[in-house]
Amino acid sequence: SMKDVPTWLPDGTVLPCNLPREDTNDAFITANGITKIADLPDGSVIGTASLRRQAQLMTQNPTLKCVNFRGNVQTRLRKLDDGVVDATLLAIAGLKRMEMQDCATAVLEWDEMLPAVAQGAIGIQCRTDDERSLKYIAALNCMDTHVCVNCERAFLAALDGNCKTPIAGQAKIVDGKIVFRGLIAMPDGTSKFTTESTGEIADAVEIGTKAGEDLKAQAGDKFFEMMVEMSPQQVLGQITK
């Protein structure tokens, strides 16, 4: 899963191949059939272990309560059914791969919940000097996915992204151009910075890098210093359910 691959690869390895990408968006799953974040009643409890999702939820409605929500998909859905939370979010790609997409109340578009960098993409890593394997996996590569993932990971690298910082970034190819959107935010949603850019497919990595640099300039050094200084409890702002 490319979403979980470290920003910087071990020496002597490459990621030359991405399989065709699944839907990158997040599934919104609610107990009462609500399909939009904006329609959640004030004070609703949302189960998520993702700072990216938490930040975007609380930017839209600061009264929402995000609680640390862990366990496999079945466990999370059972907690929802038991009334532990009012709603939760999961990658629709994962639900589709488990043939559980019907559990989704709605699938959120970028304007409502920007997905994680490389969400929905599968990659194949290989040793740099393994020419035989590189030749075989080259035939499996989906170039559109590969270009978009490289753009998104360049964005992440420019931000020196880590698990404390809510970061979202997505690229897609539209009419022969690469379109990118990215954001960073405070975990509690009190501040959010966004960037958008469009350019040539050949410039995908440069576009991602410049987008990351743009957000660093917007947010300023103080934002990132605060992220580094925050304790795990301050970052999460959650209770475990």
Side-chain angles (χ1 to χ4, degrees):
S1 171
M2 289 298 304
K3 185 173 71 170
D4 303 315
V5 175
T7 309
W8 293 276
L9 302 177
D11 291 341
T13 67
V14 289
L15 269 166
C17 174
N18 291 112
L19 304 183
R21 199 171 195 175
E22 185 50 90
D23 187 337
T24 69
N25 292 322
D26 280 331
F28 189 44
I29 309 172
T30 62
N32 51 13
I34 290 174
T35 60
K36 294 181 180 295
I37 293 170
D39 292 338
L40 288 170
D42 287 353
S44 294
V45 180
I46 316 300
T48 177
S50 164
L51 291 179
R52 170 186 63 83
R53 291 174 179 138
Q54 174 185 306
Q56 292 184 76
L57 285 164
M58 298 187 73
T59 296
Q60 296 178 60
N61 184 346
T63 75
L64 298 178
K65 299 176 182 178
C66 292
V67 297
N68 199 2
F69 210 48
R70 296 193 180 274
N72 61 29
V73 172
Q74 291 84 352
T75 297
R76 298 185 194 197
L77 294 178
R78 185 169 63 251
K79 288 180 179 180
L80 180 67
D81 289 340
D82 290 344
V84 175
V85 296
D86 299 307
T88 189
L89 296 97
L90 297 167
I92 190 64
L95 291 177
K96 284 186 174 182
R97 287 169 181 146
M98 298 175 69
E99 298 184 350
M100 296 178 65
Q101 62 268 31
D102 291 344
C103 295
T105 309
V107 178
L108 304 179
E109 298 297 331
W110 287 11
D111 288 339
E112 201 167 2
M113 181 63 61
L114 190 63
V117 164
Q119 185 159 305
I122 298 295
I124 302 176
Q125 190 171 1
C126 185
R127 296 190 309 274
T128 308
D129 60 359
D130 189 345
E131 295 182 5
R132 183 181 182 188
S133 294
L134 288 169
K135 179 181 178 181
Y136 286 139
I137 62 178
L140 301 174
N141 187 44
C142 172
M143 188 54 67
D144 284 0
T145 300
H146 193 59
V147 165
C148 290
V149 167
N150 285 346
C151 178
E152 294 163 25
R153 284 175 58 81
F155 166 73
L156 190 65
L159 286 168
D160 296 326
N162 61 61
C163 60
K164 277 189 175 184
T165 309
I167 297 174
Q170 285 281 291
K172 59 184 175 182
I173 295 173
V174 180
D175 297 329
K177 302 281 188 180
I178 192 159
V179 177
F180 178 82
R181 187 183 300 184
L183 72 80
I184 55 174
M186 292 295 291
D188 61 2
T190 52
S191 61
K192 181 180 76 170
F193 304 92
T194 63
T195 185
E196 295 186 42
S197 51
T198 301
E200 300 298 327
I201 291 174
D203 299 328
V205 170
E206 182 181 359
I207 288 168
T209 299
K210 286 184 176 179
E213 292 171 346
D214 175 37
L215 287 189
K216 287 181 77 171
Q218 285 189 50
D221 293 339
K222 186 65 176 177
F223 174 90
F224 295 96
E225 289 170 4
M226 289 174 64
M227 287 283 91
V228 171
E229 292 170 0
M230 290 176 78
S231 69
Q233 292 77 19
Q234 289 173 312
V235 170
L236 285 172
Q238 302 173 326
I239 57 175
T240 301
K241 288 287 186 180

